[in-house]
Amino acid sequence: MGAALKESLGLGHLALRYQPQIRGEDGGLHGVEALARWSHPRFGDVPPAKFIALAEETGLIEAIGEWAISEACRQMAVWESIAPVDFRIGINLSQRQLADPNVTGMFRAVAARHGVDPHRIVIEISERSLAHDPETAERTLHNLLGHGVNVAVDNFGTGYASLAHLQRFPVGALKIDRYFVSRLPGDRTAATLVRGIIG
């Protein structure tokens, strides 16, 4: 499967799907999240959790990550050519990419190539990535922020959750883990925790 995944990157078997993010107050489009999907002729539709783990094991995660960033920016440019775009696009950044000293330059080059304003890009990272190498993560995120890219923490509130992260890292948005959100509004404990995180 590792060989198939590497081959798929060049054959177009990987694709991005865009999940809308809706504003609660008026139902308008706030943004989209770019989600990688793999459909293989032999293996069929491979679940993201499976092929992302495979990509990390085989060292393909950086190549797939760069492809996803380029493809998301290309699509953003297409939307902007059709009509003025008033939303942001979220792109996941892997732990290995976060540790790459060249990732900021790569982002700048890709955004410039497609003519996308970096302010329209939101880098989504996991708490695990922040905890793995905090010094490098902090440096990389500040570099990205300095070039206009926004930062969001995905699945916040589980595993490696630490409020200290919110003081140390330049985080502009928290995506509260569905473990808490799916229990609303009936679970009073979940509601209290979600209100606290939002506060």
Side-chain angles (χ1 to χ4, degrees):
M1 284 189 79
L5 182 58
K6 184 176 182 178
E7 185 181 57
S8 289
L9 190 56
L11 293 176
H13 295 156
L14 287 168
L16 291 185
R17 299 291 177 259
Y18 300 92
Q19 184 177 63
Q21 299 169 339
I22 305 300
R23 287 190 300 268
E25 60 269 21
D26 62 6
L29 185 64
H30 170 73
V32 296
E33 181 183 358
L35 302 169
R37 296 293 180 260
W38 182 26
S39 183
H40 189 267
R42 177 182 170 193
F43 300 115
D45 293 331
V46 183
K50 186 172 184 177
F51 80 78
I52 294 297
L54 182 64
E56 289 175 345
E57 290 171 18
T58 57
L60 290 170
I61 192 68
E62 288 171 294
I64 291 173
E66 187 169 347
W67 162 81
I69 292 163
S70 181
E71 178 62 16
C73 286
R74 184 200 66 77
Q75 182 60 63
M76 193 70 161
V78 169
W79 286 328
E80 289 190 323
S81 72
I82 297 169
V85 172
D86 188 26
F87 60 84
R88 295 175 173 179
I89 188 164
I91 306 170
N92 291 286
L93 199 69
S94 72
Q95 183 174 300
R96 287 181 67 162
Q97 286 176 296
L98 194 60
D100 182 355
N102 300 315
V103 73
T104 303
M106 183 267 290
F107 255 102
R108 289 176 61 196
V110 169
R113 184 166 72 244
H114 293 288
V116 173
D117 182 349
H119 289 91
R120 297 225 178 265
I121 299 171
V122 180
I123 294 306
E124 299 193 6
I125 51 175
S126 67
E127 291 178 300
R128 190 174 110 184
S129 297
L130 293 178
H132 177 70
D133 184 353
E135 288 75 23
T136 301
E138 185 176 16
R139 186 166 53 251
T140 300
L141 295 180
H142 276 289
N143 285 340
L144 287 166
L145 192 70
H147 291 290
V149 178
N150 301 279
V151 178
V153 176
D154 203 4
N155 302 324
F156 186 80
T158 59
Y160 293 83
S162 171
L163 294 178
H165 287 166
L166 305 186
Q167 288 191 312
R168 178 170 191 175
F169 300 106
V171 174
L174 296 177
K175 298 179 71 177
I176 302 171
D177 192 87
R178 68 184 301 166
Y179 175 81
F180 301 107
V181 179
S182 64
R183 295 166 182 260
L184 301 178
D187 188 317
R188 293 178 62 184
T189 301
T192 300
L193 289 169
V194 168
R195 283 193 202 98
I197 294 170
I198 292 172

